[in-house]
Each structure stands twice: as structure tokens, then as C-alpha cells.
């Protein structure tokens, strides 16, 4: 990544829930324009809603690919399950969206053209945020979810709910007493008419989050008349290794079609 190609504003504190500082990084074209740009938020894939690495958004096939396409990009950290249980993670995403709406640094953010994307746990939170933007002041207009779970009550792969797992950790323990919380944490349960356009990308051989999770979300969105495209990666595993540049191109084209037309 060439320093002269991008403007990077790292380590901006956007919220401090329960005294836990949360940060975001802004990456955009250099120099930053004075006119508002469509803005895309990336949520780290963790793994499993655990401690994440926000800096992974600087990989060339992540936010740099979108900044190169003319977007302002934002990478956010959220509380992990060792710090707080659901819905804390979703509240953090909403807090970041509210920060974008307030725009305290005077960045070239277009609040009417905000997209969100993420992979795995980040894709799950991106989908939830897109389906619940009435809780924040900045509406999400487009969602890309990559290898993300959509129904936490339907186990498969590493999504175990009959024993301790990342899914049970998300809601704080025994699923028998947290089923409604798991349902509320499932994007498929939040689908309703008026949902923003979705691009769902998933490997057909995903060993962690079964491909069927993507199919179910896609069908649910179409059933309420929401625009949805399902892009299957034949033979793709959960990490979609060797496909990331193609995935980034698809995401950039998806956001561009919605925000630049």
C-alpha cells in the first residue's frame, strides 16, 4: 500500500462503553476531497466474536481496494465476548454509525451513502446492522456479508449450541436459557420489508459456517422483496483463501453500482 496513494487516519476513539475504549481507522483517497464520499464500514472477522485485529482492514484486498475505487472507508473495533455479551457488539456498530453521522472531524462522509461489510463474525454483525439501522442515526444503504452466520439456532460446522462454542459465548452461556437471545442475534430473524440491498458471499465448502446459512438469508430477503444477490464460491472454505481479491472486486462493484449510479 503506497503511503502517497491513501490518506490514513488511525486510532480514532469513537465510544467508551463501560469504560472500554473503542477505535476506528479511516482510509480514503489522497488527498481527501472536500465533497462527501460514499462511506463503507468494515467490521473485523475476529474470529468468533473474540478479540479482533482492526488493522486487518489494511490488507490490500480489504479497505484499500475500496478506497482505491473512490470510497471513504472506516474500520471499527467492537467489544469481544470476553468483555461483553450480545447485544453489546451490535450496539457498538450502531455507536460507530452514529459517530459517522455526527462527523466530529469534518470528514468527507456522505451520511446518505453508507455501506457496511465484514467476514465471518464481522459479516454477521454487518448483516444485523443493515437490518436494524433504525437504532442508529446513520442508515446503512448496502450490506456485504462474507462467510457470515445468519441463523444461530441452526447449528452446523463450528456453530455448536449443544456445548461451549463461540456461539454460546456470544450470549453468555447455556443455550437452554438463552434461546431468545440467540434468535435476536440471528440476522434471519431481523429480515423485514425495506431491508437494504445485500450481497452475500459464501464458500460452498465452508467448514465453519455452512453454506446453507447464506442460502437461508438470501431466500428470506427475497421473500420480503429486498434486493439480494448470493455469490457462491465453488469449493470455497471459510477463509476463502485465494479468492480475496475477487471478493474485494465484487464488493467494490456492488457498492459502486448502488452509490455511484
Amino acid at each position: 500500500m503506497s503511503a502517497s496513494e491513501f490518506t490514513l487516519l488511525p486510532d480514532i476513539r469513537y465510544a467508551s462503553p463501560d469504560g472500554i475504549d473503542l477505535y476506528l481507522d479511516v482510509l480514503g483517497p489522497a488527498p481527501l476531497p472536500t465533497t462527501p464520499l460514499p462511506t463503507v464500514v468494515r467490521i473485523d472477522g475476529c474470529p468468533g466474536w473474540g478479540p479482533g485485529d482492526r488493522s486487518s482492514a489494511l490488507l490490500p484486498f480489504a479497505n484499500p481496494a475500496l478506497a482505491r475505487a473512490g470510497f471513504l472507508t472506516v474500520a471499527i473495533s467492537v467489544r469481544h465476548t470476553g468483555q461483553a455479551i450480545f447485544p453489546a457488539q451490535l450496539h457498538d456498530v450502531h455507536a460507530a454509525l452514529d459517530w459517522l453521522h455526527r462527523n466530529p472531524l469534518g470528514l468527507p462522509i456522505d451520511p446518505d451513502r453508507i455501506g457496511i461489510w465484514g467476514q465471518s463474525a464481522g459479516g454477521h454483525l454487518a448483516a444485523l446492522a443493515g437490518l436494524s439501522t433504525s437504532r442508529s442515526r446513520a442508515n446503512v444503504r448496502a450490506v456485504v456479508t462474507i462467510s457470515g452466520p445468519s441463523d444461530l439456532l441452526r447449528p452446523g460446522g463450528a456453530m455448536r449450541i449443544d456445548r461451549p462454542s463461540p456461539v454460546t459465548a456470544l450470549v453468555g452461556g447455556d443455550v437452554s436459557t438463552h434461546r431468545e437471545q440467540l434468535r435476536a442475534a440471528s440476522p434471519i430473524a431481523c429480515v423485514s420489508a425495506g431491508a437494504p440491498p445485500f450481497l452475500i458471499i459464501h464458500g460452498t465448502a465452508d467448514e465453519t459456517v455452512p453454506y446453507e446459512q447464506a442460502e437461508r438469508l438470501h431466500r428470506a430477503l427475497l421473500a420480503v422483496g429486498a434486493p439480494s444477490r448470493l455469490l457462491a464460491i465453488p469449493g470455497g472454505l471459510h477463509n476463502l483463501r485465494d479468492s480475496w481479491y475477487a471478493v474485494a472486486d465484487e464488493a467494490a462493484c456492488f457498492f459502486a453500482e448502488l452509490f455511484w449510479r
Side-chain angles (χ1 to χ4, degrees):
M1 186 175 74
S2 168
S4 62
E5 188 179 4
F6 301 106
T7 298
L8 174 62
L9 304 175
D11 303 324
I12 300 168
R13 185 174 62 182
Y14 75 85
S16 298
D18 299 323
I20 299 171
D21 290 337
L22 300 175
Y23 293 90
L24 57 80
D25 304 328
V26 175
L27 185 77
L32 287 179
T34 56
T35 55
L37 294 175
T39 301
V40 179
V41 176
R42 183 182 185 272
I43 309 173
D44 180 55
C46 299
W49 304 280
D53 180 9
R54 192 175 71 254
S55 67
S56 66
L58 293 180
L59 291 169
F61 46 74
N63 279 356
L66 295 186
R68 198 172 282 119
F71 295 95
L72 189 71
T73 69
V74 179
I76 68 171
S77 59
V78 300
R79 282 171 287 177
H80 59 77
T81 52
Q83 296 172 317
I85 61 172
F86 186 85
Q89 294 74 23
L90 182 57
H91 290 168
D92 295 343
V93 179
H94 289 150
L97 292 170
D98 285 341
W99 186 93
L100 295 179
H101 182 81
R102 294 195 313 273
N103 195 8
L105 299 184
L107 297 169
I109 297 167
D110 185 342
D112 294 322
R113 292 186 292 171
I114 291 180
I116 195 165
W117 72 321
Q119 190 263 343
S120 191
H124 160 263
L125 292 174
L128 275 180
L131 294 167
S132 61
T133 54
S134 61
R135 301 179 197 174
S136 67
R137 289 178 291 173
N139 286 336
V140 171
R141 302 297 187 186
V143 179
V144 176
T145 175
I146 306 162
S147 305
S150 64
D151 187 347
L152 301 186
L153 287 171
R154 293 178 70 92
M159 297 175 55
R160 303 299 299 262
I161 59 174
D162 59 344
R163 65 185 69 174
S165 72
V167 176
T168 61
L170 182 64
V171 295
D174 184 2
V175 170
S176 65
T177 58
H178 293 83
R179 291 189 68 84
E180 286 309 309
Q181 200 172 357
L182 275 181
R183 189 182 309 280
S186 297
I188 197 167
C190 303
V191 170
S192 63
F198 268 69
L199 171 61
I200 304 168
I201 303 175
H202 215 107
T204 61
D206 191 324
E207 75 286 9
T208 302
V209 178
Y211 176 69
E212 181 260 350
Q213 293 267 322
E215 292 179 310
R216 284 174 53 77
L217 179 59
H218 177 59
R219 289 196 299 267
L221 288 163
L222 293 180
V224 298
S228 178
R229 177 185 170 211
L230 174 57
L231 176 60
I233 307 296
L237 300 177
H238 187 64
N239 64 8
L240 293 181
R241 187 173 57 188
D242 302 326
S243 298
W244 273 107
Y245 285 93
V247 167
D249 287 345
E250 291 286 348
C253 288
F254 171 76
F255 289 125
E257 289 171 2
L258 292 168
F259 292 151
W260 292 112
R261 64 186 180 188

